[in-house]
Amino acid sequence: MPKVLRDEAAASQTGSGSKRSFSTSARLHQGEVKGNSPDPSAATVANMLAASNRGESVDVERGIPEGFKYEPPTLPLPPNERFDRRYEPLVEQFTKLIMKHGKLSLAQKHMAKILEYLRTAPAPLIDPSKPFLPGPPSPQLPLNPILYLTLAVDSIAPLFRIRQIRGIAGGGAALPIPSPLAQRQRRREAITWILEAAEKRRDNQLSHRIANEIIAIAEGKSSVWLKRAAIHKQATVSRANIRRASQQRRGRKQ
C-alpha cells in the first residue's frame, strides 16, 4: 500500500484528521447571551387583536409604533371601507346572463374577451339623435371598457315593463299597465335584448358578436333602440290605465 494511503488510514483511526479550526455548533441560549428585551411592537399588536376580538375600538398613539412601516388602522373597520364585491355589479350580471349550462368560467372568458375587444376597437361615432347617456368624450370610451359597457347597457335599458291585467275595465279584457323597473331589472332586460340581437350577427366568436352589438348601440345602429322606443311609447299610451287600476284596488279594499 502506498505511504499516502497508509497515512490517511492512520489519521482516520486516530481521529486527528477530523479536527476543524472553527465550530459549527449553534448557540442554544443565544437569547440569554444577548439579553431578552421586550418588543413594544409585539405588545401593540397583541393589544389590537385582543381589542378587536372583544369588539372594541383600538386607539393608536400618534406616530408610527416601532415595528410598523405605516400607522396601523383603527379597528374595527367602518362598514363603508370593506370591499365585498370582486367584480363590478354590471359585469357580474352580464357574465351570469351569458353563462350556459352552469359554465361560469367559460362565461368569464367571454366577458374578458368582450372588454378586450371594446378596449382595442376604434372609438365609436355616437349618434346625437339617440338618447345615449352622457359620459366622457367618444375617443376616451375605449380607455375604460367597463364604463363603455355600462353606458351602453343603461342607455337602452327600459324604464317600464307592460303588464296585462284582466278585469280592470270590466269583463275579461286585459288592459296594459306600465310598471316601473328597478335598476337591476332594467339592466337584465337590456342585456337580454343585446344577447338576442347579437345572435343574429355573423361573427364567428360569441364575444365578438356581443362587442359589435355594444358598439352598434353606441353608434345608434342597433335594433335594440327600436324595442326601447316601442315599450316607452306603449307605456305613454297606456298610462291612463294606471288610474283605473288604482280605483279598482280602492274599491276592493272598501
Side-chain angles (χ1 to χ4, degrees):
M1 180 182 293
K3 187 175 183 303
V4 177
L5 297 179
R6 291 199 302 269
D7 295 342
E8 290 181 357
S12 62
Q13 292 178 1
T14 57
S16 60
S18 61
K19 293 183 179 180
R20 296 180 180 178
S21 60
F22 58 91
S23 176
T24 58
S25 61
R27 295 182 180 179
L28 299 179
H29 304 287
Q30 188 175 5
E32 297 178 359
V33 175
K34 293 184 178 181
N36 291 328
S37 58
D39 189 0
S41 61
T44 305
V45 173
N47 295 333
M48 292 172 62
L49 293 177
S52 62
N53 293 333
R54 294 193 302 268
E56 301 176 356
S57 60
V58 181
D59 295 329
V60 183
E61 298 178 358
R62 287 190 174 182
I64 301 175
E66 185 178 356
F68 289 88
K69 186 175 182 180
Y70 303 102
E71 184 177 354
T74 302
L75 298 178
L77 294 176
N80 56 355
E81 292 189 5
R82 296 178 181 177
F83 189 74
D84 297 330
R85 295 183 179 272
R86 182 177 181 182
Y87 304 104
E88 290 288 334
L90 177 61
V91 174
E92 185 177 3
Q93 186 178 7
F94 207 117
T95 304
K96 291 184 178 179
L97 289 176
I98 295 175
M99 180 180 61
K100 294 182 179 180
H101 309 294
K103 298 180 180 179
L104 181 59
S105 60
L106 182 60
Q108 290 175 344
K109 291 180 181 179
H110 287 315
M111 194 69 231
K113 291 181 180 179
I114 291 171
L115 296 177
E116 181 67 19
Y117 192 93
L118 294 177
R119 189 183 65 83
T120 56
L125 301 176
I126 297 178
D127 187 2
S129 63
K130 302 296 181 181
F132 195 78
L133 292 179
S138 175
Q140 297 181 8
L141 282 178
L143 300 178
N144 192 346
I146 296 180
L147 179 61
Y148 192 173
L149 177 66
T150 304
L151 291 176
V153 172
D154 289 343
S155 296
I156 63 169
L159 300 176
F160 309 96
R161 67 175 177 179
I162 306 300
R163 298 185 303 166
Q164 301 292 336
I165 301 179
R166 296 180 179 273
I168 295 179
L175 291 181
I177 303 295
S179 177
L181 297 175
Q183 184 185 41
R184 188 173 179 85
Q185 294 174 326
R186 296 176 60 239
R187 288 178 171 178
R188 179 184 178 85
E189 194 71 21
I191 294 171
T192 304
W193 290 349
I194 292 174
L195 296 180
E196 291 176 356
E199 290 296 331
K200 301 177 183 178
R201 291 185 170 270
R202 298 182 179 180
D203 299 276
N204 294 329
Q205 298 185 15
L206 174 63
S207 57
H208 290 179
R209 293 197 297 268
I210 297 176
N212 287 327
E213 186 64 28
I214 293 172
I215 295 174
I217 290 172
E219 294 179 348
K221 301 177 182 179
S222 177
S223 60
V224 179
W225 288 107
L226 300 178
K227 292 184 179 181
R228 181 180 184 274
I231 287 184
H232 285 187
K233 183 178 180 180
Q234 187 177 3
T236 304
V237 172
S238 59
R239 60 185 177 181
N241 298 332
I242 300 177
R243 181 175 299 178
R244 293 185 180 181
S246 61
Q247 290 176 356
Q248 185 181 16
R249 292 172 185 172
R250 293 174 185 174
R252 289 178 180 177
K253 291 181 180 180
Q254 293 177 357

